[in-house]
Amino acid sequence: MQIQTLVQWMSDTALNHYIVNHSYVWPSLESLHFIGLCLLFGSLLLIDLRALGVASTVPFSAVEKFILVSISGFVINLTTGIAFLFGDPDRYFDNPSFQLKMLCILLALLNALYFSWRLKKRSDTEKFSADMKFAAGFSLVLWVAVIVFGRLIPYVE
Protein backbone atom coordinates (compact mmCIF):
# COMPACT_ATOMS: atom_id res chain seq x y z
CA MET A 1 0.00 0.00 0.00
CA GLN A 2 1.42 3.36 -0.98
CA ILE A 3 1.65 6.11 1.60
CA GLN A 4 -0.80 8.34 -0.31
CA THR A 5 -3.34 5.51 -0.43
CA LEU A 6 -2.94 4.99 3.32
CA VAL A 7 -3.27 8.73 3.98
CA GLN A 8 -6.41 8.89 1.83
CA TRP A 9 -7.91 5.85 3.60
CA MET A 10 -7.17 7.36 7.03
CA SER A 11 -8.68 10.69 5.94
CA ASP A 12 -11.88 8.92 4.88
CA THR A 13 -12.43 7.05 8.17
CA ALA A 14 -15.13 7.85 10.70
CA LEU A 15 -12.39 8.42 13.30
CA ASN A 16 -10.85 11.18 11.17
CA HIS A 17 -14.22 12.84 10.68
CA TYR A 18 -14.97 12.64 14.40
CA ILE A 19 -11.62 14.19 15.35
CA VAL A 20 -11.85 16.92 12.70
CA ASN A 21 -15.50 17.83 13.33
CA HIS A 22 -15.41 18.05 17.14
CA SER A 23 -13.31 20.91 18.44
CA TYR A 24 -12.75 19.39 21.88
CA VAL A 25 -11.22 16.11 20.63
CA TRP A 26 -7.76 17.33 19.54
CA PRO A 27 -7.04 19.28 22.75
CA SER A 28 -8.32 16.33 24.80
CA LEU A 29 -5.99 14.01 22.92
CA GLU A 30 -3.08 16.39 23.50
CA SER A 31 -3.83 16.49 27.23
CA LEU A 32 -4.01 12.71 27.45
CA HIS A 33 -0.83 12.39 25.37
CA PHE A 34 0.96 14.71 27.81
CA ILE A 35 -0.30 12.73 30.82
CA GLY A 36 0.87 9.50 29.17
CA LEU A 37 4.24 11.09 28.47
CA CYS A 38 4.58 12.15 32.11
CA LEU A 39 3.78 8.63 33.31
CA LEU A 40 6.11 7.04 30.77
CA PHE A 41 9.09 9.36 31.04
CA GLY A 42 8.77 9.98 34.77
CA SER A 43 8.77 6.29 35.61
CA LEU A 44 11.55 5.51 33.13
CA LEU A 45 13.60 8.32 34.64
CA LEU A 46 13.37 6.60 38.03
CA ILE A 47 14.14 3.16 36.62
CA ASP A 48 17.01 4.24 34.37
CA LEU A 49 18.65 6.55 36.89
CA ARG A 50 18.53 3.79 39.51
CA ALA A 51 20.10 1.38 37.01
CA LEU A 52 22.81 3.97 36.38
CA GLY A 53 23.63 4.02 40.10
CA VAL A 54 21.66 7.00 41.38
CA ALA A 55 20.13 6.20 44.81
CA SER A 56 21.99 2.90 44.86
CA THR A 57 20.86 2.22 48.44
CA VAL A 58 17.29 1.79 47.18
CA PRO A 59 16.76 -1.82 46.08
CA PHE A 60 15.99 -2.08 42.40
CA SER A 61 12.98 -4.26 43.21
CA ALA A 62 11.34 -1.16 44.74
CA VAL A 63 11.95 0.88 41.59
CA GLU A 64 11.00 -2.01 39.31
CA LYS A 65 7.36 -1.55 40.33
CA PHE A 66 7.30 1.59 38.17
CA ILE A 67 7.58 -0.55 35.03
CA LEU A 68 3.80 -0.97 35.07
CA VAL A 69 3.42 2.82 35.25
CA SER A 70 5.69 3.25 32.22
CA ILE A 71 3.74 0.62 30.28
CA SER A 72 0.49 2.42 31.17
CA GLY A 73 1.93 5.71 29.94
CA PHE A 74 3.11 4.06 26.74
CA VAL A 75 -0.34 2.59 26.06
CA ILE A 76 -1.96 6.00 26.58
CA ASN A 77 0.56 7.58 24.20
CA LEU A 78 0.19 4.82 21.63
CA THR A 79 -3.59 5.19 21.65
CA THR A 80 -3.58 8.99 21.44
CA GLY A 81 -0.74 8.92 18.89
CA ILE A 82 -2.78 6.66 16.60
CA ALA A 83 -5.71 9.06 16.99
CA PHE A 84 -3.42 11.97 16.02
CA LEU A 85 -2.38 10.04 12.91
CA PHE A 86 -5.98 9.46 11.92
CA GLY A 87 -6.91 13.05 12.74
CA ASP A 88 -4.31 14.61 10.44
CA PRO A 89 -2.48 11.96 8.40
CA ASP A 90 -1.17 14.48 5.84
CA ARG A 91 0.85 16.21 8.55
CA TYR A 92 2.68 13.16 9.82
CA PHE A 93 3.81 10.65 7.22
CA ASP A 94 6.09 12.97 5.22
CA ASN A 95 7.31 14.88 8.27
CA PRO A 96 11.01 14.14 9.01
CA SER A 97 10.55 14.96 12.69
CA PHE A 98 7.71 12.42 12.94
CA GLN A 99 9.81 9.82 11.12
CA LEU A 100 12.73 10.37 13.51
CA LYS A 101 10.35 10.19 16.48
CA MET A 102 9.04 6.82 15.27
CA LEU A 103 12.59 5.55 14.74
CA CYS A 104 13.55 6.58 18.29
CA ILE A 105 10.43 4.89 19.70
CA LEU A 106 11.28 1.68 17.85
CA LEU A 107 14.87 1.79 19.13
CA ALA A 108 13.65 2.58 22.65
CA LEU A 109 11.29 -0.41 22.61
CA LEU A 110 14.04 -2.74 21.39
CA ASN A 111 16.34 -1.30 24.06
CA ALA A 112 13.65 -1.87 26.73
CA LEU A 113 13.24 -5.49 25.61
CA TYR A 114 16.99 -6.00 25.87
CA PHE A 115 17.09 -4.35 29.32
CA SER A 116 14.17 -6.49 30.55
CA TRP A 117 15.77 -9.66 29.20
CA ARG A 118 19.05 -8.84 30.96
CA LEU A 119 17.18 -7.86 34.13
CA LYS A 120 15.60 -11.32 34.38
CA LYS A 121 19.06 -12.90 34.34
CA ARG A 122 20.30 -10.78 37.24
CA SER A 123 19.73 -11.16 40.97
CA ASP A 124 18.64 -8.14 43.02
CA THR A 125 21.95 -8.06 44.89
CA GLU A 126 24.10 -7.90 41.75
CA LYS A 127 25.37 -4.59 40.47
CA PHE A 128 24.30 -3.56 37.04
CA SER A 129 26.67 -4.61 34.29
CA ALA A 130 28.13 -2.12 31.83
CA ASP A 131 25.73 -3.17 29.07
CA MET A 132 22.71 -2.65 31.33
CA LYS A 133 23.99 0.76 32.37
CA PHE A 134 24.49 1.61 28.71
CA ALA A 135 20.93 0.45 27.96
CA ALA A 136 19.59 2.63 30.80
CA GLY A 137 21.49 5.69 29.56
CA PHE A 138 20.51 4.97 25.95
CA SER A 139 16.87 4.74 27.08
CA LEU A 140 17.01 8.24 28.55
CA VAL A 141 18.65 9.65 25.41
CA LEU A 142 16.08 7.98 23.15
CA TRP A 143 13.06 9.13 25.13
CA VAL A 144 14.37 12.70 25.31
CA ALA A 145 14.81 12.52 21.52
CA VAL A 146 11.21 11.26 21.19
CA ILE A 147 10.00 14.28 23.20
CA VAL A 148 12.10 16.74 21.19
CA PHE A 149 11.14 15.30 17.78
CA GLY A 150 7.49 15.17 18.83
CA ARG A 151 7.61 18.82 19.82
CA LEU A 152 9.18 19.72 16.47
CA ILE A 153 6.49 18.06 14.35
CA PRO A 154 4.35 21.20 13.90
CA TYR A 155 7.39 23.27 12.98
CA VAL A 156 9.08 20.95 10.46
CA GLU A 157 6.20 20.61 7.98
Side-chain angles (χ1 to χ4, degrees), residues 42-93:
S43 58
L44 285 177
L45 193 61
L46 290 171
I47 294 163
D48 290 337
L49 287 176
R50 173 57 189 88
L52 287 167
V54 175
S56 57
T57 58
V58 176
F60 191 77
S61 57
V63 175
E64 198 173 14
K65 295 174 184 169
F66 284 96
I67 291 174
L68 185 58
V69 176
S70 63
I71 291 170
S72 300
F74 182 78
V75 169
I76 291 169
N77 278 7
L78 178 64
T79 305
T80 55
I82 290 170
F84 285 141
L85 272 174
F86 274 86
D88 195 1
D90 286 318
R91 168 186 278 183
Y92 292 100
F93 285 104

Coordinates of all heavy atoms in Angstrom, one line a residue, residues 42-93:
G42 N 8.5 9.9 33.3 CA 8.8 10.0 34.8 C 9.2 8.7 35.4 O 10.1 8.6 36.2
S43 N 8.4 7.6 35.1 CA 8.8 6.3 35.6 C 10.1 5.7 35.0 O 10.9 5.2 35.7 CB 7.6 5.3 35.4 OG 7.3 5.2 34.0
L44 N 10.3 6.0 33.7 CA 11.6 5.5 33.1 C 12.7 6.3 33.7 O 13.8 5.7 33.8 CB 11.5 5.7 31.6 CG 10.7 4.6 30.9 CD1 10.6 4.9 29.4 CD2 11.2 3.2 31.2
L45 N 12.5 7.5 34.0 CA 13.6 8.3 34.6 C 14.0 7.7 36.0 O 15.2 7.5 36.2 CB 13.1 9.8 34.9 CG 14.1 10.8 35.2 CD1 15.2 11.0 34.1 CD2 13.4 12.1 35.4
L46 N 13.1 7.3 36.8 CA 13.4 6.6 38.0 C 14.1 5.3 37.8 O 15.1 5.0 38.4 CB 12.1 6.3 38.8 CG 11.4 7.5 39.4 CD1 10.0 7.1 40.0 CD2 12.2 8.2 40.5
I47 N 13.6 4.5 36.9 CA 14.1 3.2 36.6 C 15.6 3.3 36.1 O 16.5 2.6 36.5 CB 13.2 2.4 35.6 CG1 11.9 2.1 36.3 CG2 13.9 1.1 35.2 CD1 10.8 1.7 35.3
D48 N 15.7 4.1 35.0 CA 17.0 4.2 34.4 C 18.1 4.9 35.3 O 19.2 4.5 35.3 CB 16.9 5.0 33.1 CG 16.1 4.2 32.0 OD1 16.1 3.0 32.1 OD2 15.5 4.8 31.1
L49 N 17.7 5.9 36.0 CA 18.7 6.6 36.9 C 19.1 5.6 38.0 O 20.3 5.5 38.4 CB 18.1 7.8 37.5 CG 18.0 9.0 36.5 CD1 17.3 10.2 37.2 CD2 19.4 9.4 36.0
R50 N 18.2 4.8 38.5 CA 18.5 3.8 39.5 C 19.5 2.8 38.9 O 20.5 2.4 39.5 CB 17.3 3.1 40.1 CG 17.5 1.9 41.0 CD 18.4 2.3 42.2 NE 18.8 1.2 42.9 CZ 19.9 0.5 42.7 NH1 20.7 0.8 41.7 NH2 20.2 -0.6 43.4
A51 N 19.2 2.3 37.7 CA 20.1 1.4 37.0 C 21.5 2.0 36.8 O 22.5 1.3 36.8 CB 19.5 0.9 35.7
L52 N 21.5 3.3 36.6 CA 22.8 4.0 36.4 C 23.6 4.2 37.7 O 24.7 4.7 37.7 CB 22.6 5.3 35.6 CG 22.2 5.2 34.2 CD1 21.7 6.5 33.6 CD2 23.4 4.6 33.4
G53 N 22.9 3.9 38.8 CA 23.6 4.0 40.1 C 23.2 5.1 41.0 O 23.6 5.3 42.1
V54 N 22.2 5.9 40.5 CA 21.7 7.0 41.4 C 20.8 6.3 42.4 O 20.0 5.4 42.1 CB 20.8 8.0 40.5 CG1 20.2 9.0 41.4 CG2 21.7 8.7 39.5
A55 N 20.9 6.8 43.7 CA 20.1 6.2 44.8 C 20.4 4.7 44.9 O 19.4 3.9 45.0 CB 18.6 6.5 44.7
S56 N 21.6 4.3 44.9 CA 22.0 2.9 44.9 C 21.6 2.2 46.1 O 21.6 0.9 46.2 CB 23.5 2.7 44.6 OG 24.3 3.4 45.5
T57 N 21.3 2.9 47.2 CA 20.9 2.2 48.4 C 19.4 1.7 48.3 O 19.0 0.9 49.1 CB 21.0 3.2 49.7 OG1 20.2 4.3 49.4 CG2 22.5 3.5 49.9
V58 N 18.7 2.2 47.4 CA 17.3 1.8 47.2 C 17.3 0.5 46.4 O 18.0 0.5 45.3 CB 16.5 2.9 46.4 CG1 15.1 2.4 46.1 CG2 16.4 4.2 47.2
P59 N 16.7 -0.6 46.9 CA 16.8 -1.8 46.1 C 16.0 -1.6 44.8 O 15.0 -1.0 44.7 CB 16.0 -2.8 47.0 CG 15.4 -2.1 48.0 CD 16.0 -0.7 48.1
F60 N 16.6 -2.2 43.7 CA 16.0 -2.1 42.4 C 14.6 -2.7 42.4 O 13.7 -2.2 41.6 CB 16.9 -2.7 41.3 CG 16.4 -2.3 39.9 CD1 16.6 -1.1 39.4 CD2 15.6 -3.2 39.2 CE1 16.2 -0.7 38.2 CE2 15.2 -2.9 37.9 CZ 15.5 -1.6 37.4
S61 N 14.3 -3.7 43.2 CA 13.0 -4.3 43.2 C 11.9 -3.2 43.6 O 10.8 -3.3 43.2 CB 12.9 -5.5 44.2 OG 13.3 -5.1 45.5
A62 N 12.3 -2.2 44.4 CA 11.3 -1.2 44.7 C 11.1 -0.3 43.5 O 9.9 0.2 43.3 CB 11.9 -0.3 45.9
V63 N 12.1 0.0 42.8 CA 11.9 0.9 41.6 C 11.3 0.1 40.4 O 10.6 0.7 39.6 CB 13.3 1.4 41.2 CG1 13.3 2.2 39.9 CG2 13.9 2.2 42.3
E64 N 11.5 -1.2 40.4 CA 11.0 -2.0 39.3 C 9.5 -2.0 39.2 O 8.9 -2.2 38.2 CB 11.5 -3.4 39.5 CG 11.4 -4.3 38.4 CD 12.1 -5.7 38.7 OE1 12.3 -6.0 39.8 OE2 12.3 -6.4 37.7
K65 N 8.8 -1.6 40.3 CA 7.4 -1.5 40.3 C 6.8 -0.4 39.4 O 5.7 -0.5 39.0 CB 6.9 -1.3 41.8 CG 7.2 -2.5 42.6 CD 6.8 -2.2 44.1 CE 7.3 -3.4 44.9 NZ 7.2 -3.2 46.3
F66 N 7.7 0.5 39.1 CA 7.3 1.6 38.2 C 7.2 1.2 36.7 O 6.8 1.9 35.9 CB 8.3 2.8 38.3 CG 8.0 3.6 39.6 CD1 8.8 3.3 40.7 CD2 7.0 4.5 39.6 CE1 8.5 4.0 41.9 CE2 6.8 5.2 40.8 CZ 7.5 5.0 41.9
I67 N 7.7 -0.1 36.4 CA 7.6 -0.5 35.0 C 6.1 -0.6 34.6 O 5.8 -0.2 33.4 CB 8.3 -1.9 34.9 CG1 9.8 -1.8 35.1 CG2 7.9 -2.6 33.6 CD1 10.6 -3.1 35.1
L68 N 5.2 -1.0 35.4 CA 3.8 -1.0 35.1 C 3.3 0.4 34.8 O 2.5 0.6 33.9 CB 3.0 -1.6 36.2 CG 1.5 -1.8 35.9 CD1 1.3 -2.6 34.6 CD2 0.8 -2.4 37.1
V69 N 3.8 1.4 35.5 CA 3.4 2.8 35.2 C 3.9 3.2 33.9 O 3.2 3.9 33.1 CB 4.0 3.8 36.3 CG1 3.7 5.2 36.0 CG2 3.4 3.4 37.7
S70 N 5.1 2.9 33.5 CA 5.7 3.2 32.2 C 4.9 2.6 31.1 O 4.7 3.2 30.1 CB 7.2 3.0 32.1 OG 7.4 1.6 32.3
I71 N 4.5 1.3 31.3 CA 3.7 0.6 30.3 C 2.4 1.3 30.1 O 1.9 1.5 29.0 CB 3.6 -0.9 30.6 CG1 4.9 -1.6 30.5 CG2 2.5 -1.5 29.8 CD1 5.0 -3.0 31.1
S72 N 1.8 1.7 31.2 CA 0.5 2.4 31.2 C 0.6 3.7 30.4 O -0.2 4.0 29.5 CB 0.0 2.7 32.6 OG -0.2 1.5 33.3
G73 N 1.7 4.5 30.7 CA 1.9 5.7 29.9 C 2.1 5.5 28.5 O 1.6 6.2 27.6
F74 N 2.9 4.4 28.1 CA 3.1 4.1 26.7 C 1.8 3.7 26.0 O 1.6 4.2 24.9 CB 4.1 2.9 26.6 CG 4.4 2.6 25.2 CD1 5.3 3.4 24.4 CD2 3.8 1.5 24.5 CE1 5.6 3.1 23.1 CE2 4.1 1.2 23.2 CZ 4.9 2.0 22.5
V75 N 0.9 3.0 26.7 CA -0.3 2.6 26.1 C -1.2 3.8 25.8 O -1.8 4.0 24.8 CB -1.1 1.5 26.9 CG1 -2.5 1.3 26.5 CG2 -0.3 0.2 26.9
I76 N -1.2 4.7 26.8 CA -2.0 6.0 26.6 C -1.4 6.8 25.4 O -2.1 7.2 24.5 CB -1.9 6.9 27.8 CG1 -2.7 6.2 29.0 CG2 -2.4 8.3 27.6 CD1 -2.5 6.9 30.3
N77 N -0.1 6.8 25.3 CA 0.6 7.6 24.2 C 0.4 6.9 22.9 O 0.2 7.5 21.8 CB 2.0 7.8 24.5 CG 2.2 9.0 25.4 OD1 1.3 9.6 25.9 ND2 3.5 9.4 25.6
L78 N 0.4 5.6 22.9 CA 0.2 4.8 21.6 C -1.2 5.1 21.1 O -1.4 5.4 19.9 CB 0.4 3.3 21.9 CG 0.2 2.4 20.7 CD1 1.2 2.7 19.5 CD2 0.3 1.0 21.1
T79 N -2.2 5.0 22.0 CA -3.6 5.2 21.6 C -3.8 6.6 21.1 O -4.4 6.8 20.1 CB -4.5 4.9 22.9 OG1 -4.2 3.6 23.3 CG2 -6.0 5.0 22.5
T80 N -3.4 7.6 21.9 CA -3.6 9.0 21.4 C -2.7 9.3 20.2 O -3.2 10.1 19.3 CB -3.2 10.0 22.6 OG1 -1.9 9.8 23.0 CG2 -4.2 9.9 23.7
G81 N -1.6 8.7 20.1 CA -0.7 8.9 18.9 C -1.4 8.4 17.6 O -1.4 9.0 16.6
I82 N -2.0 7.2 17.7 CA -2.8 6.7 16.6 C -3.9 7.6 16.2 O -4.2 7.8 15.1 CB -3.2 5.2 16.9 CG1 -2.0 4.3 16.9 CG2 -4.3 4.7 15.9 CD1 -2.3 2.9 17.5
A83 N -4.6 8.1 17.3 CA -5.7 9.1 17.0 C -5.2 10.3 16.3 O -5.8 10.8 15.4 CB -6.4 9.4 18.3
F84 N -4.0 10.8 16.7 CA -3.4 12.0 16.0 C -3.2 11.6 14.6 O -3.4 12.5 13.7 CB -2.1 12.4 16.7 CG -2.2 13.1 18.0 CD1 -1.3 12.8 19.0 CD2 -3.2 14.0 18.2 CE1 -1.4 13.5 20.2 CE2 -3.3 14.7 19.4 CZ -2.4 14.4 20.4
L85 N -2.6 10.5 14.3 CA -2.4 10.0 12.9 C -3.7 10.0 12.1 O -3.7 10.5 10.9 CB -1.8 8.6 12.9 CG -0.3 8.5 13.0 CD1 0.1 7.1 13.1 CD2 0.4 9.2 11.8
F86 N -4.7 9.5 12.6 CA -6.0 9.5 11.9 C -6.6 10.9 11.8 O -7.3 11.1 10.8 CB -7.0 8.5 12.6 CG -6.8 7.1 12.2 CD1 -5.9 6.3 12.8 CD2 -7.6 6.6 11.1 CE1 -5.8 4.9 12.4 CE2 -7.5 5.3 10.7 CZ -6.5 4.5 11.3
G87 N -6.3 11.7 12.8 CA -6.9 13.1 12.7 C -6.3 14.0 11.7 O -6.9 14.9 11.2
D88 N -5.0 13.7 11.4 CA -4.3 14.6 10.4 C -3.2 13.8 9.8 O -2.0 14.2 9.9 CB -3.8 15.8 11.2 CG -3.3 17.0 10.2 OD1 -3.5 16.8 9.0 OD2 -2.9 18.0 10.7
P89 N -3.5 12.8 9.0 CA -2.5 12.0 8.4 C -1.5 12.7 7.4 O -0.4 12.3 7.3 CB -3.3 10.8 7.7 CG -4.6 11.4 7.5 CD -4.9 12.4 8.6
D90 N -2.0 13.7 6.8 CA -1.2 14.5 5.8 C 0.0 15.1 6.6 O 1.1 15.3 6.0 CB -2.0 15.6 5.1 CG -2.9 15.0 4.1 OD1 -2.4 14.1 3.3 OD2 -4.0 15.5 4.0
R91 N -0.2 15.5 7.8 CA 0.8 16.2 8.6 C 2.0 15.3 8.9 O 3.1 15.7 9.0 CB 0.3 16.8 9.8 CG 1.3 17.3 10.8 CD 0.7 17.7 12.1 NE 0.3 19.1 11.9 CZ -0.2 19.8 12.9 NH1 -0.4 19.3 14.1 NH2 -0.6 21.0 12.7
Y92 N 1.7 14.0 9.2 CA 2.7 13.2 9.8 C 3.6 12.4 8.9 O 4.8 12.3 9.1 CB 2.0 12.2 10.8 CG 1.4 13.0 12.0 CD1 0.1 13.3 12.0 CD2 2.2 13.4 13.0 CE1 -0.4 14.0 13.1 CE2 1.7 14.1 14.1 CZ 0.4 14.4 14.1 OH -0.1 15.1 15.2
F93 N 3.0 11.7 7.9 CA 3.8 10.6 7.2 C 5.0 11.2 6.5 O 6.1 10.5 6.5 CB 2.9 9.9 6.3 CG 2.1 8.9 7.0 CD1 0.7 9.1 7.2 CD2 2.6 7.7 7.5 CE1 -0.1 8.2 7.9 CE2 1.8 6.8 8.2 CZ 0.5 7.0 8.4

